[in-house]
Every structure is written in C-alpha cells, then in structure tokens.
Amino acid sequence: MHVRFGFSSAPGALTRFSGLRSGAVALLGLALAGCHGTDWSHNYQDSFETKAKTSMSYMPDTVADAFEKPKNNEPSTPVAYHRPASPSYDDRPLDENIAASVELADYTAAIRHVGLVPWITGPGPYTVFAIPNEAMEKLSARWLGGLMAPAMKGQLTHILGYTIASGKWDEKAIRKAIARNHGRGIGLKTLYGDIISVHIDARTGEIFLSNPAGQVAHLWSHSLPQSNGVLYFMRDALLPVSH
C-alpha cells in the first residue's frame, strides 16, 4: 500500500475546526498500518529514481551564528571553535535534511516519537514548516510534563501535523499564488485538514504564517529545496486552533 496525502495541493478557503483532535490521529494510524504493519519501506522515496544534484543550501543554525573567534589563541566564549552550519542537499528527502540539522533536533525527536516520519519520506511533494529547538522548548513548557509525555501524544501529533502541508510551496510558488489572489493570503491544507495561512508583509515583503485565530509565525529561512518538497524553518511554533 502506498501511503499518500489524500487532498489537493491547491490553496483552499478557511473552514471550521474543533481544536486538537486525537480521533483523527487514531484513524490515520489505522489507515497507515493497514497493509504493511510498521513497514514503511513502500512509502520511501526511491533514491535510485531521484535525479542527482550538486546544489545545496545552509540551514539556519544558532551555534554557527554564536561563534566568536578566540582572542590571544584562547577560547573566550562557550562556542569558541568554528563549526559550519548544516547543509540541506537539494537531492535528498525532507527526513534526511531535517535529521541533519542541529537546530531541528527537538523537532526530529518529536516527529519520530509520534510516528510521522513516513509522511516526510515519501515521494510527496510536501512542504514542511519545521519548528526549531528554542520554539519547541517554549511550546513544551506550556504543558505539565512537556509535549513528549505519553498523555500528550495525541495533541503533539496534531501540532506536528500542522507543520506538514501538501504540495511544493517554495517562495516563488507562494508569491505567485498570492499575486493571483490580488495580494490576499492563501490557505494551505495540512496533514489533518487544518488550514495554515500564508501571507506577504506589505511593508517588508517577507512571507509569514498565521492560523485561524490570527496568531502569527515568522520564517527563519528562505525555502530550502528538497527532493520530495520544500523545507522552511519557523522562528515560532504555530498551533492548529478552532476557527
């Protein structure tokens, strides 16, 4: 059984939602486990069918940004030795590039914890708005025991599903779609049917995201091409909420 998104990648109108849903998570798990149990190999992107490329981009990295050259040949900061930022390779899938990023260590652990890795390993295309470590830690602190607690697995699954949209939505595609929509934001359908809105700041020209409650999250990076979609880094977490 090939596991694929079952919805169109075209932007859609905002609809009503009822908060974090654990029922949808259970139904998805049953659907995914139907034919091959826990064997996800049938949904993996076939590397032999992926066109090889030599292009890459550096992913955002606070460790690299914190580097200060030591003075008098002595370490003078907590990050005294230069380490280049992690590269994102255009011909590798989302799961590999995400796992290679130090800044996405918490996000990677959470994705694995709830079993959503298969959704970013398939042929796609998918667009992922990944949550970096600091934002994940702030989000987790809002719940007693943290987001990784067993009782939070359903909510965490829904939160992470809100970071995965169907379609290849790089910056060029987003700007083109918003221009066709006369400058108004567009809605992208995410894994559990929630809509994440994408806008362009009229003053700065920057792309930002919002949810139906009007909460906003800014992007930390330009779109990073992946062999099965597009990767963005967000500066803040954005939650799926009722409209």
Side-chain angles (χ1 to χ4, degrees):
M1 178 181 75
H2 289 279
V3 182
R4 304 285 176 84
F5 275 108
F7 49 77
S8 169
S9 62
L14 292 178
T15 53
R16 293 183 179 274
F17 306 104
S18 57
L20 302 178
R21 298 185 293 274
S22 58
V25 176
L27 289 175
L28 176 67
L30 290 173
L32 293 180
C35 293
H36 297 285
T38 56
D39 179 11
W40 301 106
S41 60
H42 294 271
N43 190 44
Y44 278 23
Q45 182 185 59
D46 190 340
S47 297
F48 291 102
E49 296 179 359
T50 302
K51 184 178 179 180
K53 298 180 181 179
T54 58
S55 52
M56 51 78 73
S57 305
Y58 284 113
M59 294 184 279
D61 190 331
T62 55
V63 176
D65 292 342
F67 171 74
E68 293 183 14
K69 188 175 180 180
K71 298 177 181 178
N72 302 320
N73 295 320
E74 296 180 359
S76 57
T77 72
V79 185
Y81 300 99
H82 180 65
R83 181 187 64 78
S86 302
S88 171
Y89 296 101
D90 295 9
D91 62 352
R92 304 311 305 156
L94 283 154
D95 62 303
E96 292 188 18
N97 285 321
I98 288 173
S101 170
V102 174
E103 279 301 320
L104 298 181
D106 291 345
Y107 181 80
T108 300
I111 286 282
R112 290 173 176 169
H113 175 67
V114 300
L116 290 184
V117 171
W119 293 99
I120 57 176
T121 61
Y126 318 117
T127 296
V128 172
F129 299 100
I131 307 172
N133 294 334
E134 184 176 357
M136 282 290 292
E137 291 166 5
K138 289 181 180 178
L139 181 63
S140 185
R142 294 170 59 177
W143 283 275
L144 183 65
L147 277 172
M148 298 289 276
M152 291 296 297
K153 191 169 184 178
Q155 293 191 31
L156 178 59
T157 304
H158 193 192
I159 290 170
L160 295 175
Y162 198 53
T163 68
I164 305 172
S166 177
K168 185 178 181 180
W169 291 100
D170 58 16
E171 290 176 79
K172 182 178 180 181
I174 287 173
R175 293 182 185 280
K176 186 175 180 180
I178 290 178
R180 286 199 305 263
N181 202 31
H182 306 291
R184 294 189 295 270
I186 59 172
L188 306 183
K189 188 174 286 188
T190 59
L191 187 56
Y192 298 116
D194 304 284
I195 299 297
I196 190 168
S197 298
V198 188
H199 312 265
I200 294 178
D201 188 311
R203 183 175 59 85
T204 65
E206 295 180 349
I207 296 172
F208 67 94
L209 311 175
S210 70
N211 62 16
Q215 297 167 335
V216 171
H218 295 277
L219 300 179
W220 187 5
S221 68
H222 296 291
S223 55
L224 302 172
Q226 313 286 290
S227 62
N228 62 343
V230 181
L231 173 63
Y232 291 92
F233 282 59
M234 293 199 295
R235 289 193 177 275
D236 306 293
L238 194 63
L239 300 180
V241 296
S242 59
H243 178 45

